[in-house]
Amino acid sequence: MSKIDLYRNVHMGQRARLFTLAVELGTADISHRGTATEQSVRCLAMTQELREHADHEDTFIHQLLRERAPEAADALEAEHMRLDAAFVALDERARTLPTTPVDALADAQHALYLALNEVISAYLAHLHVEETVAMPALWEYASEKELGAAFAAFRASRTQEQALTDLRRMLPALPPPTRAAIVRDVIKAAGERAAGTLAAATTTLTPDQRGRLYEDLAVPEAWALQDPEYA
């Protein structure tokens, strides 16, 4: 039986979307009407999401870490300070981009691109500490029951729509067996709403990913379109 990993899957989703955002910001045609605002909104949404994620970790994971492995918790606090500064710099660049004069837009776009990549650099280092220092410390000093309780408490704190958003962000970045295992548990818990929940949770998958998932679940794809509320 594999150990409970509180970081792995969600971090894979975050990496994938950060990398995608960097590529798409770098290649965006900033001269096109509305593009500056679109890219600004995307960057601000990302920093908001990452801040909320850090709050969730503090609430449901890191309190246990501080109790059992304070040195590992201290390492994360140092990473948070660097991250906060990078988030602020990115937010400032993002907010000013839509009002930048046309003749300065290209330079402003690149400055925002650099600020985003500074966030990515800092965030990757932070994820590495969580995955190679914090999680091993929790495996050593906390029981599987305690780790399971932490994960269950987080899930219980999410509304149905928040839980679906979490899945949509994470599932495209996971390998097929992991994706299928997660979705299998989700639709099992959904009961009579299983079909609609499956359809709603998989909207961000590519056609190939979705086809493989339905194959792994051994269900016809049409089954997930039965619930009009989620279709």
Side-chain angles (χ1 to χ4, degrees):
M1 182 177 178
S2 60
K3 298 178 180 178
I4 295 174
D5 193 323
L6 300 174
Y7 298 111
R8 178 176 177 172
N9 293 336
V10 65
H11 285 180
M12 290 181 72
Q14 289 176 340
R15 285 184 175 97
R17 286 179 301 104
L18 282 167
F19 298 156
T20 297
L21 178 57
V23 171
E24 293 181 355
L25 172 60
T27 59
D29 181 0
I30 204 70
S31 67
H32 192 275
R33 184 177 180 180
T35 299
T37 298
E38 177 190 357
Q39 296 301 321
S40 170
V41 168
R42 291 182 70 193
C43 288
L44 291 170
M46 181 60 73
T47 55
Q48 179 180 346
E49 177 193 331
L50 297 182
R51 287 187 176 102
E52 290 173 353
H53 173 73
D55 290 342
H56 297 155
E57 289 181 334
D58 283 340
T59 301
F60 298 103
I61 304 175
H62 295 164
Q63 182 174 347
L64 179 61
L65 186 67
R66 291 186 188 99
E67 293 173 356
R68 305 300 173 82
E71 291 183 359
D74 289 344
L76 292 185
E77 289 298 327
E79 290 294 329
H80 277 150
M81 293 180 63
R82 183 185 175 198
L83 274 176
D84 287 343
F87 288 161
V88 169
L90 177 58
D91 286 347
E92 290 176 351
R93 293 283 188 186
R95 290 191 183 101
T96 60
L97 185 67
T99 58
T100 301
V102 173
D103 60 353
L105 261 177
D107 287 341
Q109 176 186 11
H110 190 64
L112 179 59
Y113 174 80
L114 294 179
L116 173 59
N117 278 277
E118 175 59 26
V119 164
I120 292 173
S121 175
Y123 202 70
L124 291 179
H126 174 68
L127 298 185
H128 185 71
V129 172
E130 288 186 331
E131 293 167 350
T132 65
V133 177
M135 197 64 241
L138 287 169
W139 284 331
E140 182 173 359
Y141 298 112
S143 67
E144 284 287 295
K145 183 177 180 180
E146 288 172 317
L147 297 179
F151 184 59
F154 168 72
R155 291 181 64 177
S157 75
R158 307 296 278 167
T159 66
Q160 183 183 51
E161 189 54 43
Q162 287 172 333
L164 286 172
T165 297
D166 293 340
L167 288 169
R168 291 172 184 142
R169 289 170 173 171
M170 179 174 61
L171 291 178
L174 303 180
T178 304
R179 185 186 301 128
I182 291 172
V183 174
R184 190 175 289 111
D185 288 343
V186 168
I187 61 177
K188 181 179 180 181
E192 294 180 354
R193 306 302 298 275
T197 300
L198 176 57
T202 57
T203 56
T204 52
L205 298 181
T206 67
D208 285 346
Q209 287 177 329
R210 190 179 298 110
R212 170 61 189 272
L213 175 63
Y214 281 71
E215 180 182 334
D216 289 341
L217 296 176
V219 297
E221 189 163 353
W223 175 72
L225 303 177
Q226 294 175 8
D227 191 333
E229 180 177 342
Y230 289 99

